[in-house]
Structure formats: C-alpha cells, structure tokens
Amino acid sequence: MMASPPDTSKSSKLERYNSYLLRRVSSAKLIAASSHLLFRATVLAGLVLIFLFLLHYPPLLLSSSRYSSASPHSNHRSLLSSGSYGGGSWERDVRRSAAPRRPDGLSVLVTGAAGFVGTHCSLALKRRGDGVVGLDNFNAYYDPALKRSRQALLSGHGVLVLEADINDGALLAKLFDVVPFSHVLHLAAQAGVRYATRNPQSYVASNVAGLVSLFEVAAKHADPQPAVVWASSSSVYGLNTEAPFSEIHRTDRPASLYAATKKAGEAIAHTYNHIYGLSITGLRFFTVYGPWGRPDMAYFSFTKSILSGKPITLFRMPDGNAVQRDFTYIDDVVMGCLGALNTAKKSTGVPGGGKKRGPAQLRVYNLGNTSPVPVAEMVRILEQLLGKKAKKNVVTLPQNGDVPFTHANVSLAKTDFGYRPTTDLATGLRKFVKWYVEYYGVQTPKVVDKDAGAEEKEEEGAAASA
C-alpha cells in the first residue's frame, strides 16, 4: 500500500503567519522608532522656540510696557543679594520706623505706601503713635514724581518707605526677621480697569503673584504671624445688578481683568486662612478720591483737562441713563482701614507653615459712601470750584470693563468697627481742588472753602458780641 504524500498546507500556513508576524513586529518597531524620533524632534523644536521667545521677549510676569507694575527685582536677584538693603544701619532705620510710640501700639508693614491710600493710611497710623514701615516699587503706571512727593511727605513724619517689589520674597522675609510686625496693610496692586486691556500681565504679577508672595512669607516665615488687612475692590461685584452692593451678593461675574484678579485674591485669601491660620480682612473700596489722589482717576484727570481747556469724555448708558459712582472721600476710607486693623484678631497658624491652632478670622467689608452720584454731577461741581466750564464729549459706555453704577451697603463695617462715612462729594472735591492748585501751582480763581468761611464769620460774630 502506497504512503500518503506529506500534508504541507499546515506548515505553509504557519510560515505565512510567522512571516506576517515578523512584518507586523518590524512595522511596529519602525512606527515606534519614528514616534520616538518625532517626539524628540518636537521637544527639541519646543525648546528652541522657548529659547527664542525668552531671547526676544520679556518674561511673562514682566510686561514690555514701560508702565509695568512688576519690578525688575521680581525676576532677578533680591535687593538683599545686590547689597542695596541689609546691614546694621539699614536694620536700625527699619526698626526705628516700625517702633510704636504709644502703649499697645501696632507695628504695621504697609505695602504700596507711596500710593494714594497707602500714604494717607501710613500718615494716620504714625500720627496716632503706631509704628510704620512702607514698601513701594514706584512703578510708572502714573507719574512716579507724585509718588516721590508722597514718599517725602511720609519721610517728614518719620515713616521709612523702601523702594522694592512685593514679589521680592527674600526681602520680605528679611523685614519680618528685623521687625515682628503685628499687622500688614497690603495696598500694593496694579490699579485701573481699562489699562488691563493693554498690559494684562502686570495685573497677574502684582494682584495675584504679589499677594501670594506676601501670604507665603506671612504664613510660613513671620514669627509671630501678622494679621493681614488688604485692599480688594468694589469691582468684584462686576455685573451684579442688586443695589446697594452687599457682601452677600454674587461676585462670580467680573466685568474686567482687574476685577478678576481681585476676586482671585479673595479666593487666595480664603485658602491661606484655611490652611495656615492667617487672620485676613479684605476691604472692597468704592471709587476713592481726594488730595494726593491718582491721576488716572476721572475726578483728577477731569480737573487737569478743564483747567487746560481740553475736552473730557463723559459716558452714558446705551439706554441714555447716567453712569453713577459711589465716590468715597479718602478720610472715610482711612477710617475704615484703621478700624479693620484695630479689630483684626491674631493669626492662629504656626510659623513655618505647621498645623494651625484653630480657626482664624476671615472677613470682607465694603468701604463706600452709600450715595451714588452721576459722573456728570461730579463734573458740575468741579466746574463751579474751578470757575471754568468743561468741554464735554458724551459717548456710550464701551464694553471695556467699566460698570454702569456702584452703590455700597456698609452696614457690616458699621456694625463691626463703627465705619460711618461723613464727607459728601462737594466737600471732598473742594478739598481736592484746593490741594491740586497748591501742589501744581495752577493759576485759577480762588477756591472758596465754605466751611472755613462760616467758621470765620462765627468767630467775628462772637468777637463783636463780646
């Protein structure tokens, strides 16, 4: 019987399958090798692009604009390592300025001390016998010469203002080593609503990174931890339409980047309070005005334009209604800041960032005047005080972050530390204009101080009756 021929179909199939597997493996290896090569090429290209970006453009936190509020010191070595600050003589000056002159007086680090609110608060603290050390980077968002004049004013009252950036963590730590500050009044910030469309990074550098820098040192380095009072803003109310604005109203719809950074600051404050036991109070300022004010504010720039005969721009709502602001005089705001400092409780955290000993105080307050006034009415008062009519251009309010009105409910601040604004807009603007014409040496019709005139008449009448 003849043997059957061998079955080669199975071996052929096996060979074809093995050949298929080899091709798949080779193909997979080729794809993997290509992927690795592509990944490495992408990484290399990315590094080259980053290098070229850093070579030709400023860092993210530093704007190319000359108005950047971020100091070069924040991305370079600390002023301590540069030799600008530190040493025995410097430490003695810091301690002398920080030393209270009254029993149980506060020792306060004021950031943004050469700013508008910072100057007035520093003077008020020093005059009542508290110790004050100021910090300011003197950025060029508005005329630094005005800030230097404020610095000279503070120096004349014994307040040392150091030129440094809030992001200089090493310098902040050194200050807390030299002085056990009981409180921090944190006012340093990039201000302004419209400027954010041109230089957004400056708001992140100052209002977010700067706040974190301060909280980091206060929470983890300072011994004892200070109580922190800081400037938020009424801008956090954003598109809120409930009036008057209350601390319980929504603040999750900011209308500008400036407002968003201040809202972010309030969230950051909650975090450092919760984790590290920092005692933190946020103050929402409502359109602060007065002597030594900010030139970018409407009342200040309008005064300059009216005197020089240049036109001013007034905004109105699309429906024709007037834009209104809750103008708050600087003395009233200072009263609120000092009230917040006076009632701030001690922090409960452990230096070094250890576990806090218990819940810490966390507060937020409105500081306003409670009486919204149409901006056009503010212009009318200025015209009367300056003895000159304004040339007005009335336009519709653009979508640039400005809001149609602000109106503060201050009942919480009144209850907790007796905040009661007392200065109406006409009185406050009269004091501002008097300062303005004296500071700038402007030739204008004499500004009549009605209150002073009434006092003089009362004195004359008393003398006559005697």
Side-chain angles (χ1 to χ4, degrees):
M1 186 174 184
M2 296 183 60
S4 300
D7 185 3
T8 61
S9 60
K10 291 183 178 180
S11 61
S12 298
K13 289 180 180 180
L14 183 61
E15 288 176 0
R16 288 197 300 273
Y17 181 71
N18 289 337
S19 175
Y20 169 76
L21 286 179
L22 287 174
R23 289 197 303 272
R24 287 290 303 270
V25 170
S26 298
S27 177
K29 288 182 178 179
L30 181 61
I31 292 172
S34 300
S35 298
H36 284 303
L37 182 62
L38 180 61
F39 173 75
R40 290 172 182 171
T42 303
V43 171
L44 180 60
L47 291 174
V48 170
L49 289 173
I50 292 172
F51 173 76
L52 291 173
F53 178 82
L54 294 175
L55 185 65
H56 294 285
Y57 294 93
L60 176 63
L61 290 182
L62 292 177
S63 169
S64 59
S65 168
R66 69 184 182 92
Y67 296 111
S68 174
S69 71
S71 164
H73 305 310
S74 61
N75 271 24
H76 291 71
R77 62 178 182 171
S78 169
L79 285 173
L80 292 176
S81 60
S82 70
S84 301
Y85 290 145
S89 177
W90 178 82
E91 290 186 10
R92 284 192 296 273
D93 290 341
V94 170
R95 290 193 183 99
R96 184 183 303 113
S97 187
R101 300 190 317 275
R102 65 184 176 96
D104 299 323
L106 311 182
S107 182
V108 188
L109 174 65
V110 180
T111 70
F116 173 33
V117 179
T119 295
H120 283 275
C121 285
S122 297
L123 285 173
L125 289 167
K126 199 68 175 181
R127 284 169 176 161
R128 75 177 195 177
D130 295 319
V132 182
V133 173
L135 194 73
D136 204 291
N137 70 357
F138 294 89
N139 69 70
Y141 168 63
Y142 61 80
D143 186 11
L146 179 58
K147 300 176 185 180
R148 293 297 180 184
S149 295
R150 296 179 187 139
Q151 181 188 30
L153 176 66
L154 291 172
S155 178
H157 287 79
V159 177
L160 174 66
V161 179
L162 304 172
E163 182 175 2
D165 194 88
I166 192 65
N167 286 291
D168 189 342
L171 177 61
L172 283 178
K174 179 64 175 180
L175 283 171
F176 279 98
D177 284 341
V178 174
V179 176
F181 292 104
S182 61
H183 295 72
V184 174
L185 181 57
H186 179 53
L187 303 172
Q190 175 59 60
V193 169
R194 300 171 202 167
Y195 181 56
T197 60
R198 304 198 304 274
N199 189 4
Q201 286 84 2
S202 66
Y203 290 78
V204 177
S206 290
N207 303 359
V208 179
L211 185 63
V212 171
S213 175
L214 174 69
F215 283 159
E216 277 287 298
V217 174
K220 300 178 181 179
H221 185 88
D223 187 7
Q225 288 182 334
V228 180
V229 176
W230 73 287
S232 183
S233 170
S234 62
S235 295
V236 300
Y237 290 108
L239 302 180
N240 173 59
T241 56
E242 295 183 76
F245 297 170
S246 169
E247 292 87 349
I248 63 173
H249 288 164
R250 291 180 62 179
T251 57
D252 59 348
R253 295 176 294 174
S256 67
L257 179 62
Y258 168 71
T261 60
K262 287 297 187 180
K263 176 59 180 176
E266 293 188 358
I268 291 168
H270 178 275
T271 302
Y272 276 84
N273 169 269
H274 172 68
I275 297 176
Y276 300 109
L278 277 182
S279 170
I280 303 175
T281 302
L283 302 176
R284 295 171 178 171
F285 296 159
F286 281 72
T287 317
V288 188
Y289 73 101
W292 295 99
R294 279 173 32 206
D296 63 312
M297 296 291 284
Y299 71 95
F300 202 119
S301 62
F302 285 178
T303 298
K304 180 179 179 181
S305 295
I306 292 171
L307 288 172
S308 62
K310 296 180 179 179
I312 64 173
T313 299
L314 285 175
F315 294 122
R316 66 185 172 201
M317 298 304 299
D319 59 6
N321 288 330
V323 172
Q324 299 184 63
R325 291 289 179 268
D326 197 344
F327 295 101
T328 313
Y329 189 63
I330 182 60
D331 288 358
D332 293 329
V333 166
V334 170
M335 177 181 63
C337 290
L338 268 59
L341 288 168
N342 293 340
T343 56
K345 295 181 179 179
K346 293 183 178 181
S347 295
T348 63
V350 177
K355 184 178 180 181
K356 63 184 181 182
R357 294 182 295 272
Q361 186 182 51
L362 180 66
R363 309 179 295 173
V364 64
Y365 297 102
N366 291 336
L367 293 186
N369 193 53
T370 74
S371 301
V373 176
V375 176
E377 172 63 12
M378 181 260 287
V379 173
R380 187 194 66 77
I381 295 172
L382 286 176
E383 289 175 328
Q384 188 177 48
L385 291 170
L386 297 170
K388 194 171 183 179
K389 297 292 289 183
K391 299 177 181 178
K392 308 180 188 75
N393 290 328
V394 182
V395 300
T396 300
L397 184 71
Q399 296 296 315
N400 60 3
D402 274 330
V403 293
F405 73 97
T406 58
H407 184 185
N409 179 338
V410 299
S411 58
L412 187 59
K414 178 181 178 181
T415 298
D416 286 2
F417 47 82
Y419 175 72
R420 291 179 176 82
T422 60
T423 310
D424 63 83
L425 184 60
T427 300
L429 285 178
R430 182 165 63 251
K431 294 179 179 179
F432 163 73
V433 169
K434 185 175 184 296
W435 168 83
Y436 185 97
V437 298
E438 291 175 354
Y439 180 79
Y440 289 103
V442 177
Q443 297 298 320
T444 185
K446 183 179 180 181
V447 178
V448 178
D449 190 328
K450 295 179 180 179
D451 294 337
E455 290 174 0
E456 290 174 0
K457 289 182 179 180
E458 288 178 2
E459 291 176 358
E460 290 174 359
S465 62

